[in-house]
Amino acid sequence: MYKGYITDIHGIKVGHAQDLQGMTGCTVIMCEEGATAGVEVRGSAPGTRETDLLKSENAVDKVHAVVLSGGSAFGLDASSGVMKYLEEKNIGFDVGITKVPIVCSAVIFDLGIGDYKIRPDLHMGYEACKSASENENRQGNIGCGTGATIGKILGTECSMKSGIGSASINIGELWVGAIIAVNSFGDVYDYKTNTLMAGTIDSNTKKLCNSYEVMQKSKYLKGFSGKNTTIGVVATNAILNKSQANKVAQLAQNGLARSINPIHTMFDGDTIFTMATNKVKSDINLVGTLATEVVCMAISNAIKSAERYDKFYCWKDIQQKV
């Protein structure tokens, strides 16, 4: 049954865990059989784990999970819980005496929205795995999207609530899906109409500003390195080698560029992973083009699914004011 979610790709499971006092959480994208993986990092303030392993010249060619986490660099600890869970299931890279789960991760900065002392950790990563399912289809303020905000050029107090979004698209037997946690420095635009959807709120008028125009007039930007970042996973059932998986991740970043402006700044750590389950032969150019499209769709879904939190307006609030 079509869900319009990354779990439309057979073999991909998604699990979420979050803490509402800390307003933070993590999301695990799991492939127990192992998925050929690639990555593309374009933001200049990334927080990641095991990305070097995905370089084409390096040995291990499959991963068992990718973790998207809040908590800034502290949130990388959630991957330890995912490794613990997978090891207990005897899932991982066989090294003879045991199996080592290959778990990649990227984090967003969400320490400024809830209790910053509460961060995703080993326990939260483990709980996300326990909830992982091929039937997952929730979006918005859940998992890594719990504390996601966008549009921070005038400071956190003028930003909007965002979340995590997912989407899928298919042509015949070929499926491509994406799940994206949107925590960008820049504004989000409708990728079809190029109209501003969400971003910075003017503190006086309570209306949306254009961050690009604000940037041109400002001598000082209130964002700081590491405070933003849009991260996600593109999954496909296409047969890809490691080099091709990296290329698809590169092309998927075009989806961020179509939907978010400014993007890939010194304030962002934008990272996209690819996971290929290797079931269907397809042209890599088609897979990459669909990846671009589905990333845009997932970003829009993240914005539309977000719920207001405290002083942070969401897309639904803006619609009511129009």
Side-chain angles (χ1 to χ4, degrees):
M1 182 178 69
Y2 176 75
K3 297 184 287 289
Y5 201 83
I6 195 173
T7 48
D8 281 324
I9 287 77
H10 181 69
I12 296 292
K13 294 181 178 180
V14 171
H16 302 289
Q18 53 281 320
D19 186 296
L20 297 183
Q21 181 180 344
M23 280 305 289
T24 191
C26 64
T27 296
V28 59
I29 301 90
M30 189 185 306
C31 183
E32 295 174 348
E33 294 181 358
T36 304
V39 67
E40 177 75 0
V41 180
R42 292 197 182 171
S44 294
T48 57
R49 165 189 164 127
E50 294 281 37
T51 51
D52 279 353
L53 190 67
L54 304 186
K55 292 180 180 179
S56 301
E57 67 269 22
N58 290 340
V60 176
D61 63 350
K62 290 188 177 180
V63 305
H64 304 97
V66 173
V67 182
L68 308 177
S69 180
S72 189
F74 296 110
L76 292 171
D77 187 37
S79 299
S80 298
V82 177
M83 287 194 70
K84 174 179 168 63
Y85 177 89
L86 291 172
E87 184 184 25
E88 291 176 355
K89 300 293 183 182
N90 198 35
I91 295 169
F93 180 73
D94 194 343
V95 294
I97 58 174
T98 188
K99 289 184 179 179
V100 180
I102 307 301
V103 179
C104 300
S105 181
V107 296
I108 65 171
F109 185 103
D110 58 3
L111 301 180
I113 185 171
D115 184 345
Y116 75 93
K117 294 182 180 179
I118 299 174
R119 305 124 182 186
D121 55 11
L122 184 150
H123 175 72
M124 190 180 289
Y126 192 90
E127 290 300 310
C129 289
K130 287 171 60 177
S131 73
S133 166
E134 290 186 346
N135 296 317
E136 180 61 71
N137 62 0
R138 290 174 292 172
Q139 303 181 75
N141 299 15
I142 191 168
C144 186
T146 302
T149 54
I150 58 170
K152 296 149 190 170
I153 196 166
L154 297 178
T156 304
E157 64 275 11
C158 295
S159 61
M160 281 181 64
K161 188 69 185 72
S162 181
I164 195 166
S166 188
S168 67
I169 192 171
N170 75 296
I171 295 181
E173 295 182 342
L174 173 66
W175 283 86
V176 181
I179 186 165
I180 308 291
V182 185
N183 193 61
S184 58
F185 172 73
D187 305 326
V188 174
Y189 290 79
D190 186 304
Y191 69 101
K192 292 182 178 179
T193 64
N194 200 37
T195 55
L196 182 60
M197 292 179 66
T200 300
I201 298 288
D202 186 293
S203 58
N204 295 317
T205 65
K206 304 301 181 184
K207 293 182 179 180
L208 280 172
C209 301
N210 183 309
S211 290
Y212 175 61
E213 294 177 355
V214 173
M215 179 181 285
Q216 294 179 72
K217 299 174 183 177
S218 298
K219 294 182 180 179
Y220 173 73
L221 307 181
K222 293 186 178 180
F224 67 85
S225 183
K227 197 170 183 177
N228 310 287
T229 294
T230 298
I231 57 176
V233 173
V234 168
T236 179
N237 63 353
I239 299 172
L240 301 177
N241 60 34
K242 209 169 175 183
S243 296
Q244 291 171 327
N246 279 303
K247 185 61 182 179
V248 169
Q250 289 178 14
L251 293 170
Q253 285 273 8
N254 294 336
L256 270 62
R258 284 176 60 186
S259 296
I260 302 172
N261 189 42
I263 191 67
H264 304 147
T265 71
M266 297 299 292
F267 302 138
D268 293 296
D270 307 313
T271 303
I272 299 290
F273 295 93
T274 302
M275 298 176 72
T277 61
N278 300 306
K279 304 297 183 183
V280 176
K281 291 183 178 180
S282 184
D283 177 72
I284 186 174
N285 299 292
L286 175 60
V287 177
T289 301
L290 293 177
T292 299
E293 184 81 3
V294 80
V295 165
C296 292
M297 294 164 62
I299 290 171
S300 290
N301 288 341
I303 298 303
K304 293 179 179 179
S305 300
E307 299 290 341
R308 182 174 180 176
Y309 171 74
D310 194 20
K311 64 182 179 181
F312 296 92
Y313 287 100
C314 65
W315 178 82
K316 296 171 186 177
D317 294 322
I318 299 298
Q319 298 307 298
Q320 292 172 1
K321 292 177 181 295
V322 174

